[in-house]
Amino acid sequence: MKQCILKAASVTLPLVLRTKGKQHLSILIYHRVLPKYDFMRPSEPTIKEFDWHMSLVSRCFTPLSLARALELMDRGELPENAICVTFDDGYADNESCALPILKKWNIPATVFVATGFINGGRMWNDTVVETIKCAGEYIDLRKVGLDEYTFNDSQSKRIVAQKILTKIKHREVEHRAEAVDFIESLAEQLLPNDLMATDQQILNLEAAGVEIGGHTVNHPILAKLNDRHAQQEIVDGKKHLETIIGKKLRYFAYPNGKLGDDYLESQVRIVKEAGFEAAVSTTWGVSARNSDRFQLARFTPWDKRSGKFLLRLLLNQKSVKL
Ligand SMILES: [Zn+2]
């Protein structure tokens, strides 16, 4: 591991020196931290992987809370390699698996919670993934406008689940829910109902200094909603979380997060009017003083090796496209 890091450092050092003085903020995006490897979710880090991610963040970057980072960015006083850690959706493992590691490395974080699934709910994508995970070797989804699928190993199951997710992701909410309900009805086991955080876990995160942010109620593709409906999703989610934690929410994350595909410019205004101070997207990159506070970029390297992970993170920090 040491060799990888040294190699990464030798490549990036000249870049770091060339861009010294430019103040960039990297915002990492995570969803889950898994207790152990899940063949259906290979891109989600395990506790062990998240531990070395945070070890690198702690040793090679300056981790800041979103509030502190934005305050320093406004003043033009962002430190070198400033970084924030964020989680989307509100998974229970943010509290049970990620929080102990964040505490270990003393790294602030923000967790954006979609309130419609907390306390025993399940996000639609997890219903699909969990159903395919426990399925036999065949599933027929032609009834809901999909295909017949066969799978005989973990890799083919993962591929099928991804195919289904991609096909129904941008369907109208009711149309998608219909397909997901049908898929769930074919589940060969009881699906888990403890994937998302409880009120108590949200309170535990908040008590540990983690910022809680808004992420709508039902995690809709906002771009598909009219303004009134989008506002309802944004405001109701905010109010619900404020009731749980007893304080104002300051930050918001757009579900899915790509401008145009997932949210519209007009909805940025709705987020501002709802009383949020800033918002994050899923557009890759870094933010700087002149960035739109309501469309801050995020980025997390996907590499499974620490040297490459660090290299990609440093290159992103210096706005070098790979
Ligand atoms: Zn999300």
Side-chain angles (χ1 to χ4, degrees):
M1 185 191 276
K2 226 178 198 174
Q3 222 173 9
C4 289
I5 295 173
L6 285 174
K7 203 173 161 193
S10 69
V11 176
T12 50
L13 192 60
L15 293 162
V16 173
L17 292 175
R18 261 210 313 274
T19 55
K20 202 171 184 306
K22 275 191 184 171
Q23 295 191 351
H24 286 163
L25 172 65
S26 282
I27 306 176
L28 295 181
I29 171 172
Y30 289 97
H31 290 85
R32 304 190 58 182
V33 173
L34 304 171
K36 58 181 185 2
Y37 178 77
D38 181 346
F39 69 85
M40 293 298 282
R41 301 176 172 90
S43 58
E44 299 289 358
T46 60
I47 290 178
K48 205 173 160 197
E49 287 166 336
F50 187 66
D51 187 45
W52 68 250
H53 286 197
M54 291 304 105
S55 127
L56 291 176
V57 163
S58 160
R59 287 183 288 145
C60 306
F61 289 80
T62 309
L64 299 166
S65 68
L66 204 47
R68 182 71 179 145
L70 294 178
E71 184 191 324
L72 292 174
M73 196 153 79
D74 279 342
R75 299 211 304 252
E77 293 173 8
L78 213 51
E80 282 285 324
N81 290 345
I83 198 163
C84 294
V85 175
T86 69
F87 296 83
D88 279 11
D89 299 339
Y91 283 97
D93 57 39
N94 293 179
E95 190 258 6
S96 57
C97 300
L99 184 58
I101 295 167
L102 293 167
K103 278 184 178 169
K104 173 183 168 185
W105 295 103
N106 197 22
I107 294 174
T110 304
V111 172
F112 296 101
V113 180
T115 54
F117 311 100
I118 56 176
N119 300 310
R122 196 183 317 108
M123 296 186 69
W124 69 268
N125 49 306
D126 286 319
T127 297
V128 173
V129 169
E130 295 293 336
T131 302
I132 302 300
K133 188 179 181 180
C134 69
E137 294 188 341
Y138 169 81
I139 198 164
D140 182 357
L141 303 179
R142 287 174 296 178
K143 214 172 167 182
V144 285
L146 295 160
D147 297 318
E148 293 177 278
Y149 303 94
T150 52
F151 25 79
N152 48 21
D153 58 9
S154 52
Q155 202 192 346
S156 51
K157 278 191 170 183
R158 186 169 66 232
I159 291 168
V160 165
Q162 278 312 316
K163 269 188 193 166
I164 298 170
L165 294 178
T166 307
K167 274 203 164 178
I168 63 176
K169 191 176 197 168
H170 286 91
R171 279 188 182 180
E172 298 296 336
V173 176
E174 295 77 26
H175 196 195
R176 186 176 72 198
E178 198 182 300
V180 173
D181 286 349
F182 180 72
I183 293 168
E184 186 176 2
S185 75
L186 302 177
E188 294 176 22
Q189 285 174 25
L190 212 56
L191 301 184
N193 59 5
D194 58 354
L195 296 179
M196 310 312 291
T198 59
D199 284 3
Q200 188 57 52
Q201 287 179 307
I202 292 169
L203 281 168
N204 294 348
L205 287 164
E206 214 272 329
V210 172
E211 179 97 35
I212 303 299
H215 198 43
T216 73
V217 177
N218 294 302
H219 206 275
I221 302 291
L222 290 170
K224 291 218 175 270
L225 306 185
N226 62 37
D227 279 0
R228 192 193 55 79
H229 194 177
Q231 185 191 33
Q232 198 179 0
E233 281 283 345
I234 293 163
V235 171
D236 289 358
K238 183 173 187 282
K239 281 186 186 160
H240 188 161
L241 289 169
E242 287 173 347
T243 307
I244 296 171
I245 63 171
K247 64 191 235 191
K248 288 265 170 231
L249 246 58
R250 303 177 67 183
Y251 307 110
F252 178 79
Y254 301 95
N256 287 46
K258 293 268 185 298
L259 178 64
D261 287 345
D262 304 316
Y263 71 94
L264 307 172
E265 285 285 359
S266 64
Q267 295 165 337
V268 175
R269 182 179 45 78
I270 295 174
V271 172
K272 278 183 203 171
E273 286 171 1
F276 288 105
E277 295 173 32
V280 291
S281 70
T282 58
T283 302
W284 283 8
V286 285
S287 298
R289 204 174 181 179
N290 58 356
S291 301
D292 182 349
R293 288 291 178 282
F294 284 84
Q295 296 187 74
L296 297 164
R298 292 191 287 176
F299 177 77
T300 297
W302 53 90
D303 306 281
K304 292 288 183 189
R305 291 174 184 271
S306 56
K308 273 194 163 181
F309 180 92
L310 178 61
L311 176 63
R312 208 181 297 275
L313 202 48
L314 284 167
L315 291 175
N316 177 64
Q317 180 75 12
K318 303 303 164 195
S319 294
V320 178
K321 293 269 180 279
L322 284 181

